Amino acid sequence: MDDTLQAIQAAYISELKKEVPRIKKWWTKSMKDNTEKRYPDKLIVDFDLRWPSGMGGHPRLIEIFRRYFLAAEARNLELEEAGRQYEQKPVTEEWGLDTEPPSRENVPPIDLLLNDLASEHQDLHRVMRTMQFIPIGMRDGEIV
């Protein structure tokens, strides 16, 4: 993987490690406060209805994810323009041979920021997999 993408991923994980415990604490307190809230004749549990995606929908996590997603996407575009892309031989050429996995130069941001967390940072992955946001938009008629 490209050094810049590795640095983006490392900074992202570091920032998540600082923020996720705060958000978990807030989440737990808010759920407790909500379940203790009583109305005449019934218990209303509406906190989880207002946060259907779970902790991954917290605005701070969305901001962090968006910032690093856009940084990774920008780096991937730089690598693509420089002609360095993910290279893999057709499966038929490697059939039956022991080969090294292909090096990843151009890494999709969703892999870098979400899917890669599953192997080494499962606690962060459990929170971030509920993220229901992909930062795509338009600026001056171009996708950003």
Side-chain angles (χ1 to χ4, degrees), residues 12-86:
Y12 170 74
I13 290 169
S14 176
E15 196 163 343
L16 283 183
K17 284 182 176 184
K18 291 177 188 171
E19 290 297 326
V20 166
R22 294 179 195 160
I23 291 168
K24 281 184 177 180
K25 185 176 179 179
W26 168 82
W27 183 268
T28 302
K29 180 185 180 315
S30 297
M31 287 296 283
K32 182 179 181 294
D33 291 348
N34 189 75
T35 57
E36 292 175 352
K37 183 169 52 174
R38 296 201 178 265
Y39 293 91
D41 300 326
K42 60 182 174 177
L43 173 69
I44 303 293
V45 180
D46 59 354
F47 179 79
D48 56 341
L49 296 176
R50 289 182 281 142
W51 293 85
S53 67
M55 285 181 262
H58 192 280
R60 180 69 179 126
L61 292 180
I62 291 173
E63 186 276 326
I64 292 168
F65 182 83
R66 179 181 186 278
R67 188 165 18 99
Y68 287 99
F69 186 101
L70 295 175
E73 187 65 19
R75 180 59 181 158
N76 280 327
L77 290 174
E78 289 173 4
L79 290 172
E80 189 174 311
E81 288 173 7
R84 298 167 62 195
Q85 297 182 15
Y86 177 83

Side-chain angles (χ1 to χ4, degrees), residues 88-137:
Q88 185 175 9
K89 293 180 183 176
V91 175
T92 55
E93 289 182 26
E94 296 183 344
W95 184 256
L97 300 174
D98 288 334
T99 58
E100 293 291 320
S103 67
R104 299 188 312 169
E105 292 290 343
N106 190 334
V107 181
I110 198 69
D111 288 341
L112 190 75
L113 304 178
L114 179 63
N115 298 333
D116 286 358
L117 293 177
S119 59
E120 294 184 27
H121 303 282
Q122 294 164 353
D123 55 330
L124 300 177
H125 183 258
R126 278 191 292 277
V127 173
M128 296 309 292
R129 73 178 177 202
T130 64
M131 175 72 59
Q132 302 293 319
F133 174 78
I134 299 297
I136 298 172

